[in-house]
Amino acid sequence: MGVAQRIQQVSMDVLQVGQGSLYPALHRLEYKGWISSDWGSSENNRRAKYYALTAMAGSNSKPNWRRGSGFRRPSAWC
């Protein structure tokens, strides 16, 4: 399953992320050390990049919620 599809599934269709936003964000997270990536083969034997959270992400995993941002914390994060 692709990253964008998984985000949409986990958020129960609340979040829909386009590839034009997703991949620059993944590159920034990798640059900051929050995720790592490796190349591998997909189910269709195509080259695919796989992402994983790093230990650094675990210490910074709670989002920085600002008052009035218009977003609510999903109950699974409470």
Side-chain angles (χ1 to χ4, degrees):
M1 178 179 287
V3 176
Q5 291 171 330
R6 182 67 176 143
I7 291 171
Q8 187 173 348
Q9 179 190 34
V10 170
S11 71
M12 295 182 278
D13 292 327
V14 172
L15 300 174
Q16 295 180 3
V17 182
Q19 290 184 3
S21 301
L22 177 63
Y23 292 103
L26 287 171
H27 289 285
R28 284 192 302 274
L29 292 171
E30 189 170 19
Y31 177 78
K32 290 181 178 187
W34 288 22
I35 62 172
S36 62
S37 66
D38 286 310
W39 287 99
S41 295
S42 70
E43 295 172 355
N44 301 341
N45 288 329
R46 291 185 155 179
R47 191 170 182 223
K49 199 168 192 181
Y50 292 89
Y51 296 92
L53 291 174
T54 64
M56 185 179 203
S59 64
N60 295 310
S61 62
K62 291 208 174 188
N64 182 12
W65 298 98
R66 290 180 297 184
R67 182 180 224 177
S69 66
F71 294 97
R72 292 185 152 200
R73 182 183 311 201
S75 59
W77 290 0
C78 295

